[in-house]
Amino acid sequence: MTSDPAVPGDSPFRAERTARDEAPQFVLPLVVRLEKTAPPARTDALETAARAVLTMLGDERSTGDGEWAEAMRDWEDARIRKVVRRARGAEWRRAEALPGITVTGKAAEVRVFPPVPLDGWPKDLARLQVSGTELDDPEPPADADLTAPVLWLNPELEMSAGKAMAQVGHGAQLAWWELSDEERAAWREEGFPLTVRTAAPALWPELIASGLPLVRDAGFTEIAPGSCTVVADHPALR
């Protein structure tokens, strides 16, 4: 990752090795419910995943002396990794039985769990598949509501739905970090409204140069290291 005003020198999203790589590595697990008969629309799943990440960050159990706070601190001290797996039927019911939070969208359901060691997933999550999260939008999404936060996807990149869910989660987290306590509280009280949209090709260079929070992927899966994936456009940060 290049040095960028939107990407701090010790960013957890840098491509180059940093001090964060020396810390024990944790991952934030997300599980999307994908029943064979009624899979959610792609945009619905992406928006729900982003709100799931924000819900975990804003939960009282994740801060202070909360039961998940130590795991959250360990995770945020290292690389900020998120992995999306899929579940249906009994798999989903087993995942729901583990400590975590289920967030629902229009039809999507995503369960987010407190961070776990990179090589220490609970067995009921470790057995779930990462691949197979291909989703479509039956109809083109409506235009983004620019009075609310928008997570803009790079129009030049091809990503699976699972990869894109992790990337918009990164973008939402960067926006959260940039906000004041008052702005965070207001967003949380509103239920974390946001939209995810693919930027128009002509708009994307402007977004990258805007100074808004920018995700540059570390390149562990699917795309090249340093690729710009998401710009987090929160009204309070414009």
Side-chain angles (χ1 to χ4, degrees):
M1 183 176 304
T2 61
S3 60
D4 188 297
V7 185
D10 189 33
S11 169
F13 302 110
R14 289 180 66 86
E16 293 89 352
R17 191 171 184 84
T18 72
R20 290 178 179 273
D21 294 283
E22 307 307 320
Q25 299 296 300
F26 286 74
V27 61
L28 187 80
L30 297 108
V31 175
V32 58
R33 184 176 186 178
L34 290 185
E35 300 293 344
K36 289 182 178 179
T37 56
R42 180 184 175 96
T43 296
D44 185 17
L46 267 59
E47 292 173 349
T48 305
R51 289 194 296 110
V53 171
L54 291 165
T55 301
M56 175 60 74
L57 290 167
D59 194 280
E60 62 182 9
R61 289 167 290 184
S62 297
T63 61
D65 295 324
E67 61 185 289
W68 300 337
E70 183 176 357
M72 291 292 286
R73 286 191 293 268
D74 288 342
W75 173 60
E76 291 183 326
D77 284 344
R79 288 281 185 176
I80 303 298
R81 300 191 186 196
K82 301 177 181 74
V83 172
V84 178
R85 297 177 184 258
R86 60 181 173 86
R88 62 172 60 101
E91 296 173 333
W92 176 257
R93 291 190 291 274
R94 285 193 293 267
E96 279 199 305
L98 298 174
I101 306 169
T102 297
V103 176
T104 58
K106 296 181 179 71
E109 294 180 70
V110 175
R111 188 162 180 85
V112 59
F113 303 86
V116 298
L118 191 60
D119 57 355
W121 286 64
K123 64 179 182 180
D124 283 332
L125 298 184
R127 67 179 61 173
L128 299 177
Q129 295 295 311
V130 176
S131 60
T133 55
E134 294 308 320
L135 298 171
D136 297 310
D137 282 313
E139 299 179 358
D143 290 343
D145 177 5
L146 299 182
T147 66
V150 184
L151 301 173
W152 295 105
L153 289 164
N154 185 338
E156 300 173 356
L157 290 178
E158 294 282 341
M159 292 185 283
S160 68
K163 178 70 172 181
M165 288 167 72
Q167 294 301 303
V168 297
H170 293 336
Q173 185 167 4
L174 286 181
W176 176 262
W177 282 347
E178 291 280 338
L179 296 174
S180 67
D181 290 342
E182 293 77 13
E183 290 162 343
R184 290 179 182 180
W187 200 10
R188 181 173 57 242
E189 289 166 7
E190 293 169 357
F192 296 119
L194 58 84
T195 55
V196 174
R197 295 292 185 269
T198 299
L203 176 62
W204 184 246
E206 296 178 22
L207 289 169
I208 290 178
S210 67
L212 290 167
L214 170 67
V215 179
R216 292 183 186 263
D217 191 59
F220 294 120
T221 61
E222 292 194 24
I223 58 178
S227 298
C228 300
T229 59
V230 176
V231 171
D233 182 9
H234 192 291
L237 303 178
R238 291 173 188 158

